[in-house]
Amino acid sequence: MTLSALLRPWRRGPLRRRSDVAEAWLALVTGVLIVVGAPAAGLAAGHAVDADASRHQQGRHAVAAVLAEDPPARIGADLTGGLGIRTHATVRWTAADGRVRTGPTAVAPDLRAGDRTTAWLDRHGALIRDPATGSRTSGESIAVGTVTGTSAGLLLLGAERAGHALLNRRRYAQWEREWAAEDPRWGQPAA
C-alpha cells in the first residue's frame, strides 16, 4: 500500500464519506493500540506474576532433609537426562522445636532413600509441597505475559473488524436509501 493510498481518507474530495474517515481513524487507533497497548498489557501481567511469586517466596526458608523413601520412577526421565524434572517423595527433617517431621515434597528423581536434599518450609514451619524455582516463575511470567499480550492484540483486532463490519452495514443501508430514491426516476425519459 502506498503513502498516497494511506492518506486518501483524510483528503478532501467529492467521493470522501464520513464513514471512510471513521474507518481510517479506527484502523489507525487500533494499530497504535496493538503496537503499544498489547505489549504493555503483557508486561504488566508478567510483572504481576513475578510480584506474586516474590510475595509467596518471602518468609520461606530452606532446611536440610533426608529422603525417607525412593522417589517413584518417572517415565521419560531418561529422555531429558533428568534436567528440570522433579518428582514427589517423603522427606524427613528436624523442625525448629527439635521434633523430627516427615512430609512429601518435590525432589530430583535421581535421589535415593537416605540421600540428603533441601526442603522448603513456609513462615509457619509447614513443608511446601511444590516450591517454586526461579526458572519456573520466570517461565510462568513469560508465558502469562505472552498470552496476555497476544490476547489483547487479538481482542483489539476483533474489535476493529467488528467496527469495520458496522461501518459497512451503515454504508450499505445508505446506498440502498440512495438507490431507492433514484429508482423511480431510472426508467423515466430525460427532460
Side-chain angles (χ1 to χ4, degrees):
M1 188 172 253
T2 66
L3 182 61
S4 173
L6 288 173
L7 296 176
R8 188 173 301 135
W10 284 284
R11 291 187 184 149
R12 299 211 182 275
L15 299 178
R16 185 180 84 162
R17 299 170 289 193
R18 286 180 34 192
S19 61
D20 294 334
V21 175
E23 185 176 18
W25 277 108
L26 180 66
L28 179 67
V29 168
T30 302
V32 168
L33 286 175
I34 287 174
V35 168
V36 176
L43 283 172
H47 286 304
V49 169
D50 268 346
D52 186 53
S54 295
R55 193 176 73 246
H56 284 296
Q57 289 178 357
Q58 288 177 350
R60 77 176 195 173
H61 59 280
V63 294
V66 177
L67 258 67
E69 65 182 14
D70 285 342
R74 299 263 322 212
I75 298 174
D78 57 341
L79 298 177
T80 62
L83 296 175
I85 296 176
R86 311 235 340 136
T87 186
H88 290 93
T90 302
V91 296
R92 185 175 51 248
W93 76 98
T94 303
D97 60 5
R99 294 188 337 201
V100 175
R101 299 197 180 188
T102 61
T105 191
V107 297
D110 59 344
L111 296 177
R112 296 291 160 239
D115 287 349
R116 293 196 176 277
T117 188
T118 301
W120 290 91
L121 305 178
D122 64 14
R123 64 181 64 140
H124 305 292
L127 183 67
I128 299 173
R129 181 172 167 84
D130 290 311
T133 62
S135 61
R136 181 172 138 196
T137 56
S138 294
E140 286 175 1
S141 66
I142 290 169
V144 168
T146 301
V147 169
T148 301
T150 302
S151 298
L154 290 174
L155 183 66
L156 288 166
L157 189 60
E160 190 270 339
R161 292 286 82 202
H164 182 75
L166 288 174
L167 286 170
N168 277 342
R169 284 183 68 189
R170 184 174 176 201
R171 282 188 276 238
Y172 296 152
Q174 183 182 358
W175 288 338
E176 282 186 33
R177 284 191 304 274
E178 290 172 1
W179 273 108
E182 293 294 322
D183 193 37
R185 295 186 289 163
W186 189 257
Q188 302 293 327

